[in-house]
């Protein structure tokens, strides 16, 4: 089967998630502690509400920085819904926790990935998703897309099945580039999702068709 590029929304805002889900092509959701804090809501109940709206993978991030703390937070988060994916940072303890959880069959999203060896290590540990942050690399004058390409090549060279989830997407061109290099998933802020079906020539062309039809 030819794989398809999956589209996640990167937000913890319920209205945005509902509106994106209404498009009929939303595959999942990613959240992070900053996005949850922005909503000013209880973390677990917000995740439960999101999981009722979207049946695909919903990433919930731990805030512990040690292995045991990550595992006990993950255990609590996994009780929320069956589509919760545990999001862990690309640190040494995160890697160990990824291995522990993946060995138990838990889906893990390894976040804050900024270099290809982090992606290789988490794939070896059985991560379900790896999240390279391309916008944040661009922000400091680097080339975020180069990282996505490098991870794609490494994963293809060795048949790693971890999905590349391109994150920190800033604009529609990032998404085009992700699709061209074969990113498995992109997680996209609502503002960029809203731009994905827009083109001024579509609007002016449609207006002209309707004007001609009505003559
Ligand atoms: C991904 O899972 C992160 O939540 C997100 O994409 C980070 O994006 P930002 O760099 O715009 O904060």
């Amino acid at each position: 089967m030819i794989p398809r590029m999956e589209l996640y929304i990167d937000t913890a805002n319920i209205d945005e998630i509902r509106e994106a889900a209404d498009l009929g092509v939303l595959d999942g959701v990613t959240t992070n502690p900053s996005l949850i804090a922005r909503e000013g809501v209880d973390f677990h109940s917000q995740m439960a509400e999101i999981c009722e709206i979207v049946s695909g993978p919903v990433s919930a991030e731990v805030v512990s920085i040690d292995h045991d703390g990550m595992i006990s937070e993950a255990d609590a988060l996994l009780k929320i819904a069956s589509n919760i994916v545990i999001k862990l940072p690309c640190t040494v303890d995160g890697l160990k926790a990824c291995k522990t959880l993946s060995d138990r069959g838990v889906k893990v999203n390894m976040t804050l990935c900024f270099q290809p060896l982090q992606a290789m290590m988490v794939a070896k540990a059985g991560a379900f998703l790896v999240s390279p942050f391309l916008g944040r690399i661009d922000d400091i004058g680097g080339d975020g897309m180069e990282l996505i390409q490098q991870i794609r090549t490494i994963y293809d060279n060795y048949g790693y099945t971890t999905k590349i989830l391109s994150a920190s997407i800033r604009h529609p061109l990032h998404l085009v580039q992700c699709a061209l290099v074969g990113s498995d998933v992109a997680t996209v802020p609502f503002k960029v999702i809203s731009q994905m079906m827009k083109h001024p020539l579509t609007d002016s062309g449609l207006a002209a068709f309707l004007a001609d039809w009505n003559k």
Side-chain angles (χ1 to χ4, degrees):
M1 195 176 82
I2 297 172
R4 66 196 179 90
M5 184 162 162
E6 293 174 67
L7 176 69
Y8 292 5
I9 188 168
D10 192 33
T11 185
N13 182 278
I14 297 295
D15 293 337
E16 290 181 351
I17 292 168
R18 278 192 204 286
E19 202 171 321
D22 276 352
L23 296 173
V25 294
L26 187 70
D27 299 297
V29 180
T30 52
T31 65
N32 64 40
S34 304
L35 293 172
I36 294 284
R38 193 178 297 167
E39 298 304 310
V41 290
D42 175 72
F43 179 28
H44 282 225
S45 48
Q46 191 77 352
M47 295 314 301
E49 195 170 347
I50 294 170
C51 289
E52 277 175 22
I53 302 167
V54 177
S55 60
V58 174
S59 290
E61 186 162 345
V62 303
V63 289
S64 296
I65 56 170
D66 64 295
H67 171 275
D68 293 353
M70 289 179 190
I71 300 300
S72 70
E73 269 191 69
D75 284 336
L77 290 167
L78 288 166
K79 291 191 181 119
I80 295 173
S82 59
N83 53 333
I84 285 282
V85 171
I86 302 300
K87 203 170 174 192
L88 306 171
C90 279
T91 59
V92 169
D93 280 71
L95 177 72
K96 291 178 186 170
C98 174
K99 176 77 175 137
T100 302
L101 291 170
S102 301
D103 284 352
R104 278 170 38 187
V106 172
K107 288 183 173 167
V108 175
N109 173 1
M110 293 302 290
T111 191
L112 292 167
C113 173
F114 290 99
Q115 54 109 331
L117 293 179
Q118 290 175 316
M120 190 169 84
M121 294 291 268
V122 304
K124 287 173 72 65
F128 171 60
L129 294 162
V130 65
S131 294
F133 276 30
L134 68 100
R136 291 194 194 186
I137 294 176
D138 289 0
D139 288 346
I140 59 162
D143 183 354
M145 278 318 300
E146 188 186 10
L147 173 61
I148 310 290
Q149 270 168 325
Q150 288 173 330
I151 299 172
R152 180 73 282 153
T153 302
I154 291 168
Y155 281 9
D156 289 350
N157 282 349
Y158 298 104
Y160 289 121
T161 55
T162 301
K163 291 184 184 182
I164 302 172
L165 192 177
S166 295
S168 190
I169 301 266
R170 298 274 191 262
H171 47 71
L173 184 58
H174 271 155
L175 268 178
V176 175
Q177 292 169 329
C178 285
L180 288 173
V181 302
S183 180
D184 300 292
V185 192
T187 190
V188 184
F190 180 75
K191 178 176 160 258
V192 178
I193 290 185
S194 312
Q195 294 172 286
M196 288 176 73
M197 284 296 290
K198 295 260 196 256
H199 195 284
L201 290 180
T202 304
D203 296 339
S204 59
L206 181 60
F209 284 156
L210 294 180
D212 289 342
W213 181 257
N214 289 324
K215 275 178 198 162

